[in-house]
Amino acid sequence: MALTLDTYRLLGRSGLRVSPLALGTATFGTEWGWGAERDEARKLFDRYTELGGNFFDTASTYTNGSSERLLGEFAGTNRDKMVLATKYSTLRRPGDPNSGGTHRKSMLASVEASLRQLNTGYIDLLYVNVWDFRTPVEEILRGLDDLVRQGKVLYVAISSAPAWQVSRMQAIADLRGWSPLVALETEYSLIERTAERDLIPMAREMGLGVVPFSPLGGGVLTGKYSREDQNPAGSVVGETAGNRKSLNVALGWVTDRNLAIADVVKEVASELGRTPAQVALAWTLNAPGVTAPIIGARTIAQLEDNLGALQVDLTPSQLARLDEVSAVDFGNPHDLLASDHIRTVTAGDMKIETLG
């Protein structure tokens, strides 16, 4: 069924309404060597909001702060209509160990910096970003709850953390009456489906809306990579050197498996008269538990192409082909628990309907 940016969805267990595609603003600014200059970033913002979009994703350190500054400038007097999501925990000052991490000092300093850069009095959604394996979860949760009680943050969420830690945090928050997590940001796409093992089922059970990043697999699912971009040594080849494409090759995104998935995406796109990016986004957009994939565009043409995913209606047969070529091994205990033998010994011959 076709969607629009103003076909709003509830974010997790909250009553917050967000667009089904979030606009990632890590492309706002060119400090990282790629991205959109101010005027182009403004066009991206205006087009997204013109169509009813209200959900923006950023972080205190994206493009060295330019992402938040430009987003705050563009929001202007319409800021209350926007759902601004930002993150903390990445290092803000090299050489200062307390300017990063998930602890209270880093949290408070990062939030204050985000409030200044966004030119706002409150943050709609604050993510704990990049788990540091050092800070006690009670310290994180109490700090987040204090920010909510102060009115500096409205909702709290988490990104890039183990499922068992997230579920533990949610249980503690519920038991102590602290602000619960309402969203999980995680990498998820046709070429990266391992979140289906534990993270996404956990999120659905614990009331977190899933907000996938890299839904196009670093661009591999757009069809712009080929087997000529690989070489036996795994290094960058040809004209790809020196740009973001070469980085994705060097990071190992361009594999035989991923290119095979991209081939099926292109086949389905051809059948529908759509682009590969639209098909890949449509698959993620309609995956169980997903609230709003994050799209990141540098040009209006890229944004318009991504937004076209809202109009893509994949057939059951096409979904099955995409699922089959991209399937991942769930491993133990998932494969065991899904086996017919286990179902027989736990339920006998009875047919039991699974909800959700």
Side-chain angles (χ1 to χ4, degrees):
M1 182 174 63
L3 301 171
T4 59
L5 284 178
D6 56 2
T7 308
Y8 302 113
R9 296 175 166 182
L10 293 179
L11 184 61
R13 64 197 288 183
S14 78
L16 187 64
R17 284 83 163 170
V18 298
S19 294
L21 287 174
L23 182 61
T25 64
T27 57
F28 285 17
T30 58
E31 286 80 359
W32 287 354
W34 52 270
E37 297 282 359
R38 180 190 176 282
D39 289 347
E40 189 68 17
R42 179 78 211 212
K43 293 176 184 177
L44 296 171
F45 176 91
D46 288 345
R47 183 56 178 159
Y48 178 76
T49 55
E50 173 189 317
L51 296 173
N54 74 340
F55 194 15
F56 297 87
D57 183 86
T58 186
S60 59
T61 55
Y62 282 178
T63 53
N64 302 339
S66 285
S67 174
E68 285 191 336
R69 285 189 290 270
L70 290 173
L71 182 56
E73 175 190 340
F74 299 159
T77 57
N78 290 319
R79 188 267 173 267
D80 286 344
K81 296 181 180 179
M82 315 298 174
V83 176
L84 305 185
T86 192
K87 312 176 190 72
Y88 89 96
S89 80
T90 50
L91 199 68
R92 290 175 294 108
R93 291 185 301 276
D96 179 2
N98 284 319
S99 70
T102 59
H103 54 87
R104 182 185 284 260
K105 183 175 177 64
S106 169
M107 180 192 303
L108 297 180
S110 185
V111 164
E112 292 297 338
S114 289
L115 291 172
R116 289 192 300 271
Q117 291 178 164
L118 288 167
N119 192 29
T120 184
Y122 67 96
I123 294 164
D124 295 285
L125 183 67
L126 177 67
Y127 286 98
V128 180
N129 188 31
V130 188
W131 195 250
D132 68 8
F133 291 97
R134 293 175 177 83
T135 308
V137 295
E138 292 84 359
E139 178 180 340
I140 299 170
L141 289 166
R142 182 54 194 270
L144 293 172
D145 188 65
D146 285 346
L147 288 170
V148 172
R149 292 175 188 272
Q150 293 165 13
K152 294 181 179 181
V153 172
L154 302 188
Y155 298 94
V156 297
I158 195 162
S159 172
S160 303
W164 66 271
Q165 282 285 23
V166 179
S167 58
R168 177 186 174 211
M169 292 175 71
Q170 193 74 316
I172 293 173
D174 284 344
L175 287 170
R176 297 198 176 182
W178 292 340
S179 300
L181 304 169
V182 301
L184 169 74
E185 187 170 312
T186 186
E187 184 177 353
Y188 186 51
S189 71
L190 277 165
I191 66 171
E192 180 46 78
R193 293 179 58 186
T194 54
E196 293 177 12
R197 291 174 180 157
D198 292 296
L199 283 166
I200 292 178
M202 175 277 302
R204 298 180 70 186
E205 182 73 18
M206 305 297 286
L208 286 75
V210 178
V211 181
F213 67 83
S214 294
L216 295 179
V220 174
L221 294 171
T222 65
K224 67 182 180 183
Y225 294 85
S226 69
R227 284 159 182 81
E228 283 68 42
D229 289 312
Q230 299 175 291
N231 70 18
S235 59
V236 180
V237 298
E239 71 276 2
T240 64
N243 55 29
R244 197 181 181 199
K245 185 176 182 180
S246 68
L247 175 63
N248 288 336
V249 173
L251 289 174
W253 286 93
V254 187
T255 65
D256 287 336
R257 172 186 179 271
N258 292 350
L259 291 172
I261 296 170
D263 286 343
V264 177
V265 171
K266 286 187 283 188
E267 291 171 7
V268 172
S270 178
E271 293 167 9
L272 294 171
R274 294 287 183 172
T275 67
Q278 290 171 348
V279 168
L281 281 170
W283 179 90
T284 307
L285 180 67
N286 290 285
V290 168
T291 300
I294 300 170
I295 56 175
R298 291 181 293 108
T299 66
I300 284 291
Q302 289 175 344
L303 177 62
E304 295 284 5
D305 181 62
N306 287 348
L307 294 179
L310 295 167
Q311 305 299 312
V312 174
D313 191 9
L314 297 169
T315 68
S317 173
Q318 290 167 339
L319 284 169
R321 286 157 56 196
L322 292 168
D323 287 344
E324 181 180 2
V325 72
S326 63
V328 293
D329 181 9
F330 279 16
N332 186 58
H334 308 288
D335 292 340
L336 173 66
L337 296 176
S339 69
D340 290 338
H341 172 70
I342 292 298
R343 290 176 179 172
T344 299
V345 300
T346 57
D349 295 328
M350 292 182 291
K351 294 181 178 180
I352 301 176
E353 182 180 359
T354 300
L355 300 178

